[in-house]
Amino acid sequence: MITYLKDYQEKLLYSLTFVGCGFTYFYGGVHLLEGNYFIGSVEIFLSTLALINLILYRFHKNFELAGSIILVLMVLILDFLIVTGGLERTGILWIYTFPLLTFFLKDIKKAVLWNLIFIFSITALAFLDWKGIMKISYSVVEIRQALSSYTAVFLISFFYSYILKRLNTNLWEASIYDPLTNLYNRKYIYQSLEMELERLKRNLEESICIVYVDVDNFKRVNDVSGHQEGDRVLKELADIFKKSFRRIDLIGRVGGDEFLFILINCRDGSVNDRLEKLKDLIEERFRKYNLSISYGIVRIPEDTLEIDKALRLADKRMYEMKKKHKQILKIASDKTSK
């Protein structure tokens, strides 16, 4: 999601900047042709700063910073239009674009703050005019009515953004989480693994471990106690997995009773120790069903940097452990029967 969101943010930043600069350059040119050199020059200057901000963004890639600069320039342009009146005193009409712009560029809390800052700036200009310190192009009544309408647009933008954000969050969570266990689903965990491998190719000093986990004897749960009990056991196993690893580690369900762990910056000894403790815990907790786990560990970049090879190798090592478990159980069963 982060990658996709970043792509859309970049497109939004470019689009808003080009559209805004296009309008401002146009009206700035009109003012220059009409002989209003000061107004036209300021509008063209501020628009040029916005384009420079866009050029700098291509290097630092800090969307938060670039968005803040755009909003600062927007506040300056709109306040300037309030003071000068703009083209035939229509400058005040442009203030209604600001709420939409803030909710496009910022999260809801920051967008609200930016709107409060802008309202304060207009109020301050009206106060300075009332005190006779400076002259603006609009009366107190016009400013009051404009701010009332602005507040209505701001509130509509706020509630729309809030509802849209909640909807997007729900849709996003539904697309990445397994509905039963609330672990990451197969698609997302594989996408995350692919991104981690690409990151490691650029920095081979870091490492990750892929762990393919299969729950041994899980079929017995469904056969003995039914699928509802099987679902409950899977949920409990998922909780145990999450509590056994760090928050930065990724855990996904890739099949009925199969799971994939992506352990960030893993160490050889610690991974085996944690998995053995996890195995002992599961065997103790689900002794009733004789559950256990088999797992295969692949260390990256030591073993491979190719995702298909890594998954095949982890799967192979998991089945080797499962085979050993079956042999041990068979030997134990034979001794018991004798």
Side-chain angles (χ1 to χ4, degrees):
M1 178 184 185
I2 295 174
T3 303
Y4 299 146
L5 180 59
K6 185 178 180 181
D7 291 340
Y8 282 118
Q9 285 179 330
E10 289 186 351
K11 291 177 183 178
L12 179 64
L13 183 65
Y14 284 112
S15 300
L16 292 175
T17 302
F18 286 135
V19 170
C21 287
F23 277 110
T24 311
Y25 273 128
F26 172 77
Y27 286 109
V30 171
H31 282 125
L32 290 177
L33 291 175
E34 290 181 345
N36 296 323
Y37 299 113
F38 174 70
I39 296 176
S41 298
V42 170
E43 290 174 336
I44 290 175
F45 173 70
L46 292 175
S47 297
T48 303
L49 290 181
L51 289 179
I52 292 173
N53 175 56
L54 202 60
I55 294 171
L56 294 176
Y57 172 74
R58 293 177 63 87
F59 296 96
H60 61 69
K61 291 295 182 180
N62 188 332
F63 181 82
E64 185 70 18
L65 174 62
S68 297
I69 292 174
I70 288 293
L71 292 179
V72 168
L73 293 174
M74 193 69 177
V75 169
L76 292 175
I77 290 175
L78 293 176
D79 282 349
F80 180 74
L81 291 175
I82 294 295
V83 173
T84 62
L87 185 64
E88 297 182 359
R89 295 187 76 253
T90 60
I92 199 170
L93 299 177
W94 289 95
I95 67 173
Y96 304 112
T97 62
F98 193 72
L100 299 175
L101 186 64
T102 56
F103 285 105
F104 275 136
L105 294 177
K106 298 292 182 180
D107 61 42
I108 292 179
K109 290 182 179 179
K110 291 180 180 178
V112 170
L113 179 61
W114 275 100
N115 278 275
L116 293 176
I117 291 172
F118 180 58
I119 291 173
F120 174 80
S121 70
I122 294 180
T123 305
L125 291 175
F127 177 78
L128 293 175
D129 179 76
W130 177 62
K131 285 293 186 179
I133 298 175
M134 65 179 298
K135 183 66 177 175
I136 64 175
S137 295
Y138 301 96
S139 67
V140 173
V141 174
E142 289 173 316
I143 293 293
R144 185 188 65 201
Q145 293 301 106
L147 284 180
S148 298
S149 302
Y150 178 92
T151 302
V153 175
F154 160 62
L155 291 175
I156 292 172
S157 301
F158 169 79
F159 287 116
Y160 177 78
S161 297
Y162 177 78
I163 293 172
L164 189 62
K165 181 181 179 181
R166 292 296 300 269
L167 178 61
N168 286 337
T169 299
N170 291 338
L171 290 174
W172 168 244
E173 290 179 349
S175 71
I176 69 171
Y177 290 114
D178 173 61
L180 177 63
T181 62
N182 206 33
L183 298 175
Y184 293 122
N185 61 26
R186 180 187 182 93
K187 180 180 179 181
Y188 184 78
I189 198 71
Y190 283 164
Q191 287 179 340
S192 300
L193 177 58
E194 189 173 353
M195 291 175 61
E196 285 296 326
L197 290 177
E198 289 300 319
R199 181 179 64 83
L200 287 180
K201 288 178 182 178
R202 298 190 296 270
N203 184 7
L204 295 178
E205 294 181 358
E206 297 185 19
S207 65
I208 63 172
C209 286
I210 301 173
V211 184
Y212 201 98
V213 177
D214 183 85
V215 182
D216 298 332
N217 299 323
F218 180 75
K219 185 175 182 296
R220 175 180 168 80
V221 180
N222 290 327
D223 292 343
V224 173
S225 302
H227 289 279
Q228 188 172 6
E229 173 65 6
D231 289 347
R232 187 199 67 78
V233 170
L234 282 175
K235 291 179 183 178
E236 190 172 347
L237 284 169
D239 289 337
I240 293 173
F241 292 158
K242 286 188 286 188
K243 292 176 181 178
S244 299
F245 293 91
R246 302 164 299 175
R247 296 185 66 178
I248 62 171
D249 297 326
L250 304 177
I251 303 174
R253 183 188 180 200
V254 296
D257 58 354
E258 298 174 348
F259 303 86
L260 186 68
F261 301 168
I262 302 175
L263 310 181
I264 309 300
N265 291 328
C266 60
R267 297 175 183 175
D268 292 350
S270 63
V271 173
N272 283 310
D273 291 343
R274 277 193 285 170
L275 288 169
E276 282 302 310
K277 289 180 181 178
L278 177 62
K279 182 174 177 292
D280 293 340
L281 175 61
I282 290 173
E283 290 174 355
E284 178 65 28
R285 183 78 63 88
F286 300 100
R287 189 181 299 275
K288 172 184 176 181
Y289 298 112
N290 197 27
L291 292 188
S292 184
I293 59 171
S294 296
Y295 55 85
I297 306 172
V298 173
R299 294 174 176 81
I300 298 175
E302 291 86 353
D303 288 330
T304 182
L305 274 170
E306 301 300 323
I307 185 169
D308 291 336
K309 184 177 179 181
L311 291 172
R312 286 197 304 269
L313 189 55
D315 187 58
K316 178 183 176 183
R317 290 175 177 175
M318 182 273 293
Y319 273 106
E320 288 174 352
M321 177 178 281
K322 182 180 285 289
K323 186 177 179 181
K324 290 180 181 178
H325 285 173
K326 288 182 178 179
Q327 290 175 346
I328 293 172
L329 289 174
K330 185 177 184 303
I331 293 171
S333 177
D334 291 342
K335 288 182 178 179
T336 303
S337 61
K338 290 179 181 180

